[in-house]
Amino acid sequence: MTRTHRRMHRLVWTVLGIAVALGLAMALALRPAPAAPLVSASLPPAPAEARS
Amino acid sequence: MSVGFRAVQWNRDKLIYDAVLLAVVAAFIVSFIAIEAHLHPPKDGPAWIDLRIRAFGLCAFLMLTAILSIGPLARLSPRFLPLLYNRRHFGVLTFVIAALHASFMVEWYAVQNTLPNIVTELTTWTDYGRFIGFPFKALGLGALLILLLLASTSHDYWLQFLSPPVWKALHMLVYGAYGLAVMHVALGAMQSNRHPAIPVLLAASLCLVAGLHLVAGWRERGCHRRRAGADGWIAVGPPDSIPDKCARIVNAPGGERIAVFRDGDRVGAVTNLCAHQNGPLGEGRIIDGCITCPWHGYQYRLDDGCAPPPFTERLATYRVRIARGIVEVDPRALAPGTPAAISISS
């Protein structure tokens, strides 16, 4: 690769890498929560040590 | 001199590469469909099409990840150079698999008589202002169009027509296609399917590609730096520090890299850029008396940087000298094809 290509290559993949990582993290964080299962209300309470 | 010289064209190595590639891709798709159909049997026709969509989409994404990993891997270890040899066919096959993925998606709508829904999805302009709910098919379509452009120019005709620097710059669009593909999955399949394998796959792919580029760039950054002397010549090192039939690469201040080769008692310097695709000549070897590019086997004479007849490619050469037992190179390039190699025994 020429010097210009190396510079362009570094710039392109660095900017793109950060943008895509950010996009992926946001897509994961903002993912809509699944519908709560109907049986959840009848589940026994968690053990005390798990709640503390 | 160079009975082994062959221009890049169909040969046994390429056929083997393509056969292995096709076999691996076919095995992956067939296995994916068979396992998924066994675990979650599709209930109807559209469900079967959906299974094909997922199989071809996953395959194309993994192939794209592999393509972007081959470059840095080959820089980190010569063991991966065979993968680089025919990467263009790898890219074309990736486009074919991605295009089949898209065609199955169209088929999925067609069999349910809901084909206009695709147009509606792509032309609901208000959705383009949202993040979650963004028309992810448009991202996939963008990636597919880039892959189409790259696949259709993956031929030596286009390489010569556009010139290697322009062709190389154009083909860096593959990074854009990869980014679009990641977001296509993140805003599409990952939103509707909460299986943890999807985010894990995307994150692993991104970490692999970025990590390999970082490591390869970091290793390359410091190893070729040399300080020029008062007269501008750059010290390379004692002749024995250049492995026989190999090269040491030096950075010309403000210029291109220079590959300083030793072939027995002959030392010569040429530009590090192959005339074919700007491949790193200094990472190649001298075979049959010729500097041989590690990427596609293009060859040049050490003495004058010319390809042996009947080929006409020529490289810029550089003057070399021995001063106080050290090989030095003048970073000012000579005209391509100028004889400049010297004998270190005289």
Side-chain angles (χ1 to χ4, degrees):
Chain A
M1 282 200 288
T2 63
R3 208 158 63 105
T4 315
H5 280 135
R6 275 198 301 277
R7 279 183 181 169
M8 196 164 79
H9 182 251
R10 281 190 199 123
L11 186 74
V12 165
W13 78 254
T14 305
V15 170
L16 195 80
I18 292 169
V20 171
L22 204 63
L24 179 58
M26 280 175 66
L28 196 59
L30 300 174
R31 202 156 52 149
L38 294 174
V39 291
S40 60
S42 61
L43 285 175
E49 60 269 26
R51 274 182 272 147
S52 59
Chain B
M1 170 187 250
S2 179
V3 290
F5 186 89
R6 281 180 303 185
V8 176
Q9 54 194 355
W10 282 104
N11 55 39
R12 186 171 173 273
D13 292 337
K14 279 201 165 188
L15 291 171
I16 291 172
Y17 189 110
D18 287 354
V20 171
L21 192 60
L22 280 169
V24 171
V25 167
F28 175 85
I29 290 172
V30 168
S31 306
F32 183 93
I33 291 176
I35 292 168
E36 273 289 301
H38 178 72
L39 295 175
H40 312 287
K43 295 181 181 69
D44 50 19
W48 274 105
I49 298 170
D50 181 59
L51 183 53
R52 271 187 277 146
I53 291 172
R54 285 186 285 132
F56 280 77
L58 177 60
C59 185
F61 182 75
L62 292 176
M63 289 174 79
L64 202 51
T65 303
I67 284 171
L68 290 178
S69 303
I70 288 173
L73 278 174
R75 302 194 87 80
L76 290 170
S77 169
R79 281 179 303 164
F80 294 101
L81 277 171
L83 292 174
L84 195 77
Y85 179 66
N86 208 12
R87 187 169 51 169
R88 279 190 278 177
H89 286 198
F90 202 147
V92 172
L93 186 60
T94 302
F95 162 70
V96 171
I97 299 295
L100 286 169
H101 163 76
S103 73
F104 294 142
M105 191 270 297
V106 174
E107 184 189 359
W108 188 85
Y109 281 97
V111 296
Q112 298 175 96
N113 293 320
T114 53
L115 214 44
N117 287 5
I118 300 179
V119 182
T120 309
E121 276 187 47
L122 292 174
T123 56
T124 306
W125 307 116
T126 50
D127 285 350
Y128 285 89
R130 299 162 61 191
F131 183 69
I132 300 296
F134 190 92
F136 68 94
K137 289 189 181 70
L139 299 171
L141 185 62
L144 188 64
L145 290 175
I146 292 176
L147 291 179
L148 170 64
L149 176 69
L150 303 190
S152 55
T153 54
S154 285
H155 190 275
D156 274 346
Y157 167 78
W158 286 103
L159 185 63
Q160 285 172 7
F161 181 76
L162 297 171
S163 79
V166 174
W167 187 88
K168 202 79 191 166
L170 178 72
H171 279 245
M172 277 187 196
L173 281 174
V174 70
Y175 287 97
Y178 176 73
L180 289 171
V182 171
M183 292 314 296
H184 168 69
V185 181
L187 296 176
M190 198 176 82
Q191 300 300 315
S192 55
N193 185 342
R194 296 192 69 87
H195 198 290
I198 298 175
V200 167
L201 172 78
L202 292 178
S205 163
L206 196 59
C207 288
L208 178 73
V209 172
L212 283 173
H213 278 79
L214 272 175
V215 173
W218 185 261
R219 184 183 280 193
E220 203 180 60
R221 201 175 169 82
C223 65
H224 307 315
R225 284 188 182 157
R226 296 284 187 284
R227 190 171 291 172
D231 57 356
W233 288 64
I234 301 171
V236 180
D240 289 348
S241 70
I242 307 171
D244 191 26
K245 302 198 183 301
C246 291
R248 288 189 68 177
I249 302 169
V250 295
N251 260 344
E256 293 298 345
R257 288 176 178 172
I258 303 167
V260 184
F261 278 90
R262 182 169 74 86
D263 187 7
D265 65 348
R266 301 282 296 167
V267 172
V270 296
T271 174
N272 194 44
L273 302 172
C274 179
H276 175 223
Q277 268 190 35
N278 290 169
L281 280 175
E283 293 171 26
R285 290 184 300 125
I286 292 181
I287 299 172
D288 300 328
C290 287
I291 297 166
T292 306
C293 180
W295 280 10
H296 302 100
Y298 270 55
Q299 290 189 300
Y300 309 90
R301 292 191 296 243
L302 175 65
D303 283 350
D304 57 9
C306 293
F311 302 97
T312 55
E313 290 85 3
R314 291 186 303 169
L315 302 174
T317 55
Y318 296 82
R319 288 189 297 161
V320 285
R321 71 183 182 191
I322 305 287
R324 298 175 301 281
I326 300 291
V327 177
E328 293 184 343
V329 59
D330 181 356
R332 287 158 291 202
L334 301 170
T338 306
I342 61 167
S343 172
I344 53 175
S345 59
S346 57

